[in-house]
Amino acid sequence: MADTTMRASRRRFTAATGESVAGWLFVAPVVTILGLFLLLPILMALWVSLTDWNGQGSPFRAGVPYVGLGNYTRLFTEDSLARQDFMTSIRNNFYYVVIVVPAQTVLALGLALIVNNRLLRGRTFFRTAFFFPSVTSSVAMSVVFLFIFSTSGAATRLLQLFGVDGPQWFADPRGVLHLLLGRAGLVDPEAPPVALTGGGWLGLSWWEWLSGPSVAMTTIIMLVIWTTSGTFMLMFLAALQDIPVALEEASMIDGAGWWQRLRHVTLPVLKPALFLVLTLGLIATWQVFDQVYVMSQGNPAKTTLTPAYLSYQTAFRDFEYGTGTAISFVLFLIIVILTLAQRRVMRERRPARTGRT
Amino acid sequence: MTRVTNPNAAPAATARPRSPGPGARSLASTFGGYAVLVFFALVFLYPFVIQIANSFKTEPDATANPLSPLPDPITLAGYERVFLGTGMPLWLGNSLVVTLVVTAGRIFLDSMAGYALARLRFRGRRALFSAVIAVMAVPGVVLFIPKFLVLNQLGLYDSYTALILPVLVDAAGVFIMKQFFESIPVSVEEAARIDGAGVFRTFWSVVLPMARPALITLTIISFQGTWNEFPHTLVAVQSPDLFTLPRGLADLVSGSLGEGTRYPLKLGAAVLATIPVAIIFVIFQRYFVRGANEGAEKG
């Protein structure tokens, strides 16, 4: 008896050292590649963001001008073109996020609720149709949307069917909020009030901050909502399938109406999925790049410039690698802060909800 | 219609939504539901119809009737020019090579790491797993310039290695494989060990074959992701000989002058970029669904 346990423990011991070596060997390639192309680059970029390296030679040799936090302060405090562009990109991306995240979430949730209906025929077909855009190439779809929204394109034709003269989508830098304010007769977009154009914050006038997304940006917004809703619909669907049929039937027998069921049965179950979709949406929307690169390159009048694209452009087109990396680190910070903030908000609300149901 | 009326229910609040009667109500909502669905199905699919239809049109026809699903006349001129006048054959080849190598690499290396993290006891395993999770949280766009810096520093910039090596493994894949391996009963491996199989042997011939569903998911999402990958190619290579299909397509679009020109050609190239993923999507749809939800769980 004692003999067998001893043998077993010895075997376990040698097996453990063998396992340790094997374990490290097994993870070595992944660790090496991720370290080399993820961790090391971030450290290198931190250094570059403190310099004025212009892309010539190595950024680590002596003689590369060290500017400390200069690249960062230039983005926030100095009255410079760099700050103006950066703030414009922040404004553009902000409006993009504010529209895309709620729109894709509501659309995804609505589609999921409909497609989840067990009595529906062709559920698989519809689910597939909505999901398909999510798996296709962002570049290819950008090309298609370029065509759809071109001057004589499908979108313009479609609007003409309804007697509406469409704008020159990609050439129109006018802010949608400006247009709405103008339409409501509150301000004249051609001659905005001095009170708004005079003052300002961080290098942009109040009027510029209040532009809303430009007409050109709305095409990118439509494209992205169209592409991403399918994926998020699937996430909602997965959550919906966790609702026990018995629970739904019980609530129906209890006489709960459609709205009551949604409010008291469905939505509480969807809470984690909703949190996930919002978080993933926030993270993704602050990174919009491919569509901007293909469709507009930040034009017209910089109204589709986003921080991700600006950091690329600053580094690889203007060869100001220091400013470019500084922008990407600020972007990183924005994403981290928003994610943490959202996590906190949802955590505070969750116990109250579960207490009630 | 027998319905037990609940005397405790507040009459005004509950009576109103019920008033049309369940039968009429469900019929109306079913019809409404289908109307909404068909509308959205059109919205989600018609751009693809436009893409395909216009790639077979002549330029004047595409300009005059962009909405029409029927090319008049049907012409292959757009495709002809894509293949003869652009780098398309090269881009296709590059995309294929990169996608196949990256996918094979991810299947092998991610599952090895996933297995080690799930099953092998070694010092630092927990820390390593936390690091993998942390890595997944790093936003991709932040890495544009950093990746370029490393590739440049290592002398790999503008090479096939630069296209492949940095994306050869991915943290999300490691995560998916780890989750799957944890669901396999340990007894299977113990039997293999007792029969004298080494760690790699146990992994390769016993555990890995059992992981087929997870491997298929990983293959599919890795193929799709790599085939569509764009920003990485932007910072990894420069010479047109190394362009992949998305990169070539982006170059084709931003390089041409004037709006409304050469759309049949551009859309044809876009169709070619969409076809492989579309085929795989149709065949392996449920694995895409699983991938989307597995990617979600990590959050």
Side-chain angles (χ1 to χ4, degrees):
Chain A
M1 200 63 185
D3 192 41
T4 45
T5 46
M6 224 167 79
R7 212 182 304 148
S9 79
R10 194 181 311 137
R11 193 169 58 216
R12 208 176 302 136
F13 177 75
T14 45
T17 40
E19 252 185 56
S20 197
V21 174
W24 276 105
L25 282 177
F26 270 47
V27 293
V30 167
V31 168
T32 312
I33 295 174
L34 289 184
L36 207 54
F37 295 105
L38 245 137
L39 200 64
L40 180 66
I42 291 177
L43 297 177
M44 286 168 82
L46 264 177
W47 163 253
V48 169
S49 79
L50 305 176
T51 70
D52 261 346
W53 182 55
N54 61 1
Q56 300 287 307
S58 160
F60 304 104
R61 72 193 149 80
V64 170
Y66 177 79
V67 296
L69 292 174
N71 289 323
Y72 292 92
T73 51
R74 228 152 47 91
L75 292 176
F76 286 98
T77 54
E78 277 170 42
D79 192 9
S80 60
L81 184 66
R83 179 174 82 165
Q84 204 186 345
D85 283 355
F86 179 61
M87 288 304 161
T88 306
S89 76
I90 294 280
R91 176 202 66 185
N92 297 340
N93 213 332
F94 171 78
Y95 284 117
Y96 172 86
V97 172
V98 162
I99 296 177
V100 170
V101 172
Q104 72 189 9
T105 308
V106 170
L107 183 59
L109 181 58
L111 293 176
L113 285 174
I114 301 177
V115 175
N116 190 47
N117 187 345
R118 275 183 304 279
L119 302 174
L120 189 77
R121 279 170 189 280
R123 290 159 69 199
T124 321
F125 167 77
F126 288 115
R127 207 178 61 180
T128 311
F130 301 150
F131 183 41
F132 186 54
S134 312
V135 305
T136 52
S137 150
S138 57
V139 175
M141 286 344 282
S142 297
V143 174
V144 176
F145 270 63
L146 266 177
F147 174 66
I148 290 177
F149 286 98
S150 61
T151 316
S152 60
T156 313
R157 289 302 157 85
L158 204 62
L159 287 177
Q160 276 167 1
L161 289 181
F162 295 98
V164 182
D165 251 347
Q168 300 259 9
W169 296 98
F170 292 108
D172 198 335
R174 289 177 299 168
V176 169
L177 213 56
H178 285 176
L179 290 174
L180 285 176
L181 289 172
R183 192 64 66 84
L186 291 174
V187 284
D188 177 9
E190 303 299 320
V194 186
L196 290 176
T197 50
W201 182 55
L202 292 170
L204 295 189
S205 72
W206 295 119
W207 179 246
E208 283 168 313
W209 279 112
L210 286 173
S211 67
S214 69
V215 174
M217 182 62 110
T218 55
T219 58
I220 299 179
I221 288 175
M222 284 186 261
L223 166 59
V224 171
I225 294 172
W226 178 81
T227 324
T228 51
S229 299
T231 314
F232 292 137
M233 175 197 70
L234 288 181
M235 292 179 189
F236 282 127
L237 264 180
L240 282 172
Q241 265 141 31
D242 285 344
I243 302 179
V245 180
L247 181 62
E248 248 174 282
E249 280 169 357
S251 63
M252 277 164 100
I253 290 167
D254 285 349
W258 181 83
W259 173 249
Q260 282 171 311
R261 277 210 312 285
L262 181 70
R263 172 84 182 70
H264 295 293
V265 179
T266 315
L267 285 184
V269 177
L270 285 177
K271 208 77 194 297
L274 189 64
F275 166 61
L276 182 74
V277 166
L278 288 173
T279 306
L280 292 178
L282 266 182
I283 291 172
T285 46
W286 276 102
Q287 298 192 57
V288 54
F289 177 83
D290 297 13
Q291 294 82 0
V292 174
Y293 183 96
V294 177
M295 293 168 82
S296 65
Q297 311 247 326
N299 294 320
K302 294 180 181 169
T303 58
T304 61
L305 206 58
T306 63
Y309 185 76
L310 183 65
S311 92
Y312 167 82
Q313 190 186 42
T314 311
F316 297 107
R317 299 263 165 92
D318 305 337
F319 306 110
E320 290 173 25
Y321 287 87
T323 316
T325 39
I327 293 171
S328 60
F329 278 114
V330 175
L331 181 58
F332 193 2
L333 212 62
I334 291 175
I335 294 171
V336 170
I337 289 172
L338 283 172
T339 314
L340 291 179
Q342 198 180 18
R343 233 156 247 241
R344 165 158 296 189
V345 170
M346 298 296 280
R347 197 174 301 147
E348 275 168 9
R349 284 204 186 149
R350 210 172 288 164
R353 273 293 155 81
T354 45
R356 206 184 302 157
T357 40
Chain B
M1 288 292 123
T2 49
R3 200 194 290 136
V4 185
T5 45
N6 183 354
N8 297 329
T14 49
R16 192 163 30 87
R18 281 188 201 161
S19 51
R25 195 191 141 79
S26 70
L27 195 71
S29 76
T30 310
F31 184 77
Y34 279 115
V36 172
L37 279 175
V38 169
F39 170 77
F40 277 109
L42 272 178
V43 169
F44 277 83
L45 291 181
Y46 209 72
F48 293 102
V49 174
I50 288 179
Q51 177 189 16
I52 296 166
N54 284 281
S55 70
F56 288 106
K57 288 180 188 174
T58 59
E59 268 188 46
D61 188 23
T63 315
N65 311 305
L67 267 173
S68 158
L70 299 171
D72 177 35
I74 297 179
T75 168
L76 286 171
Y79 287 94
E80 232 173 79
R81 277 183 300 159
V82 174
F83 274 103
L84 300 178
T86 72
M88 179 54 80
L90 199 67
W91 306 335
L92 267 172
N94 286 339
S95 269
L96 215 58
V97 168
V98 170
T99 305
L100 291 181
V101 174
V102 168
T103 303
R106 284 190 187 177
I107 294 169
F108 185 60
L109 300 174
D110 286 0
S111 56
M112 258 175 58
Y115 179 68
L117 289 172
R119 280 299 159 78
L120 302 179
R121 283 173 297 277
F122 60 96
R123 198 182 281 268
R125 180 176 79 152
R126 265 162 216 274
L128 209 58
F129 183 62
S130 313
V132 168
I133 297 285
V135 158
M136 281 197 287
V138 177
V141 292
V142 176
L143 291 168
F144 288 174
I145 305 166
K147 268 192 194 158
F148 165 75
L149 290 172
V150 167
L151 290 171
N152 210 15
Q153 209 62 22
L154 294 176
L156 297 174
Y157 180 69
D158 214 16
S159 68
Y160 279 108
T161 317
L163 276 178
I164 292 169
L165 194 59
V167 289
L168 195 59
V169 304
D170 74 321
V174 174
F175 182 82
I176 289 175
M177 293 315 295
K178 176 191 180 269
Q179 297 298 93
F180 189 85
F181 286 130
E182 277 175 348
S183 72
I184 294 180
V186 187
S187 54
V188 180
E189 289 159 79
E190 275 169 353
R193 293 282 176 83
I194 288 164
D195 288 350
V199 179
F200 186 78
R201 187 70 200 280
T202 310
F203 162 73
W204 185 253
S205 14
V206 180
V207 189
L208 205 57
M210 293 177 75
R212 244 183 61 154
L215 287 176
I216 297 177
T217 303
L218 187 59
T219 307
I220 301 290
I221 57 176
S222 151
F223 181 93
Q224 181 249 354
T226 315
W227 183 266
N228 291 340
E229 175 64 47
F230 174 62
H232 176 68
T233 69
L234 211 50
V235 297
V237 296
Q238 183 182 33
S239 75
D241 290 346
L242 294 169
F243 280 6
T244 56
L245 192 37
R247 177 75 188 273
L249 186 54
D251 200 56
L252 195 66
V253 174
S254 55
S256 70
L257 299 168
E259 200 190 89
T261 56
R262 305 207 297 162
Y263 267 113
L265 170 137
K266 292 176 193 168
L267 291 169
V271 169
L272 292 171
T274 316
I275 285 177
V277 174
I279 292 174
I280 289 191
F281 177 74
V282 170
I283 301 175
F284 297 104
Q285 207 220 108
R286 63 201 173 101
Y287 293 98
F288 275 97
V289 172
R290 191 182 296 166
N293 287 319
E294 249 151 18
E297 272 163 28
K298 82 195 179 200

